């Protein structure tokens, strides 16, 4: 079945540091890939998405590129802020499993001033 | 309006109580979801309604009973819950697209405590 593996956290960075959160997936064909973010006390919000190989999703300074050859969708940001502190979930959905998004375990990011 | 609204935000109930969680969206989405999320874990799918019909039930115990009165509303009726059911319950919506680019819009959740 489909699966998503995220780098284990927690991740602690200083403000303005470079962020990478690794995400790899297992699925047949071409799933759609997502990064969701969950701030404390809130639900998940879609951060960015990509639907086919080599697509780059971007939003709020975050980027991720759909790499079919390495089955990866790593999240990057060039300069993090304290307000980026949250839990980040990588997820996929596939036409063979409509309605059932598969989530990674989540990576907690803490950014210190 | 890109919001999914959930009420109440917090709920404390005893194991013999009956309560309901409510969810509303006005984005015209025709798929609505209930997820359960334990602390520091990813959300777990419970139910999916597609075009107001229950399409997915992830073997959830019968003490959880979903209802979709219309395309904008989703309820989760709770009865005789157990302490291990304490969790954040998240509602989400999306436009059904046969598993392609079905991005989810989540509410802020109901934090449920069962005593």
């Amino acid at each position: 079945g489909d699966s998503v593996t995220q780098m284990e956290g927690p991740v602690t960075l200083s403000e303005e540091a470079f962020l990478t959160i690794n995400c790899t997936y297992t699925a047949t064909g071409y799933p759609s890939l997502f990064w969701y973010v969950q701030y404390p006390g809130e639900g998940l919000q879609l951060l960015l998405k990509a639907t086919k190989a080599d697509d780059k999703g971007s939003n709020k300074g975050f980027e991720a590129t759909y790499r079919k050859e390495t089955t990866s969708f790593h999240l990057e940001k060039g300069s993090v802020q304290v307000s980026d502190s949250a839990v980040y979930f990588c997820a996929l959905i596939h036409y063979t499993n409509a309605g059932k998004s598969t989530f990674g375990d989540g990576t907690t990011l803490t950014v210190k001033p | 309006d890109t919001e999914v609204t959930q009420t109440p935000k917090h709920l404390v109930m005893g194991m013999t109580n009956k309560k309901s969680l409510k969810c509303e969206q006005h984005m015209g989405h025709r798929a609505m979801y209930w997820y359960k999320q334990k602390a520091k874990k990813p959300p777990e799918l419970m139910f999916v309604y597609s075009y107001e019909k229950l399409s997915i039930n992830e073997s959830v115990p019968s003490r959880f009973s979903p209802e979709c009165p219309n395309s904008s509303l989703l309820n989760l009726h709770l009865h005789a819950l157990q302490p291990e059911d304490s969790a954040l319950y998240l509602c989400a919506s999306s436009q059904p697209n046969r598993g392609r680019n079905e991005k989810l819009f989540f509410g802020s959740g109901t934090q449920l405590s069962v005593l």
Side-chain angles (χ1 to χ4, degrees), chain A residues 25-99:
Chain A
Y25 69 88
T26 301
T28 56
Y30 289 87
S32 297
L33 302 175
F34 307 88
W35 277 101
Y36 290 90
V37 59
Q38 187 172 29
Y39 298 102
E42 297 185 13
L44 282 72
Q45 301 175 23
L46 178 66
L47 182 59
L48 52 84
K49 66 176 178 68
T51 57
K52 60 183 188 295
D54 300 324
D55 263 3
K56 178 185 281 189
S58 61
N59 186 25
K60 300 181 181 179
F62 291 89
E63 293 183 341
T65 301
Y66 190 142
R67 301 287 189 199
K68 179 65 175 172
E69 63 276 13
T70 54
T71 61
S72 65
F73 193 54
H74 304 321
L75 182 69
E76 297 182 337
K77 187 175 185 183
S79 175
V80 294
Q81 305 300 311
V82 172
S83 57
D84 293 327
S85 299
V87 182
Y88 292 81
F89 292 96
C90 185
L92 68 81
I93 194 161
H94 195 262
Y95 72 92
T96 58
N97 233 354

Side-chain angles (χ1 to χ4, degrees), chain A residues 38 44 103, chain B residues 21 33-39 41-47 60-61 63-64 76 81-91 106 110 112 114:
Chain A
Q38 187 172 29
L44 282 72
F103 290 89
Chain B
L21 309 184
Y33 309 73
W34 282 114
Y35 283 87
K36 173 183 178 181
Q37 187 181 27
K38 290 280 200 178
K41 296 291 186 184
E44 301 171 28
L45 184 63
M46 300 175 70
F47 303 103
V60 178
R63 56 186 184 268
F64 296 91
L76 185 63
L81 295 192
Q82 303 298 309
E84 60 264 29
D85 296 323
S86 298
L88 181 67
Y89 288 84
L90 293 165
C91 174
F106 284 87
T110 295
L112 173 67
V114 182

Side-chain angles (χ1 to χ4, degrees), chain B:
Chain B
D1 184 359
T2 58
E3 280 195 358
V4 176
T5 304
Q6 288 189 246
T7 55
K9 292 196 180 301
H10 302 275
L11 179 63
V12 179
M13 59 187 291
M15 289 190 284
T16 58
N17 292 158
K18 286 184 182 180
K19 297 286 185 183
S20 296
L21 309 184
K22 297 185 183 300
C23 174
E24 188 169 7
Q25 58 88 16
H26 295 287
M27 293 178 278
H29 290 166
R30 302 303 299 275
M32 296 187 77
Y33 309 73
W34 282 114
Y35 283 87
K36 173 183 178 181
Q37 187 181 27
K38 290 280 200 178
K40 302 189 185 300
K41 296 291 186 184
E44 301 171 28
L45 184 63
M46 300 175 70
F47 303 103
V48 182
Y49 275 83
S50 183
Y51 298 96
E52 296 86 69
K53 293 186 178 178
L54 184 65
S55 59
I56 297 175
N57 177 343
E58 292 288 85
S59 302
V60 178
S62 60
R63 56 186 184 268
F64 296 91
S65 175
E67 177 195 22
C68 189
N70 60 53
S71 60
S72 300
L73 294 175
L74 185 67
N75 299 321
L76 185 63
H77 303 298
L78 314 174
H79 173 55
L81 295 192
Q82 303 298 309
E84 60 264 29
D85 296 323
S86 298
L88 181 67
Y89 288 84
L90 293 165
C91 174
S93 70
S94 75
Q95 202 58 269
N97 197 25
R98 301 179 185 174
R100 293 179 173 84
N101 194 20
E102 287 179 348
K103 49 186 182 285
L104 296 169
F105 291 76
F106 284 87
S108 295
T110 295
Q111 187 65 54
L112 173 67
S113 296
V114 182
L115 304 179

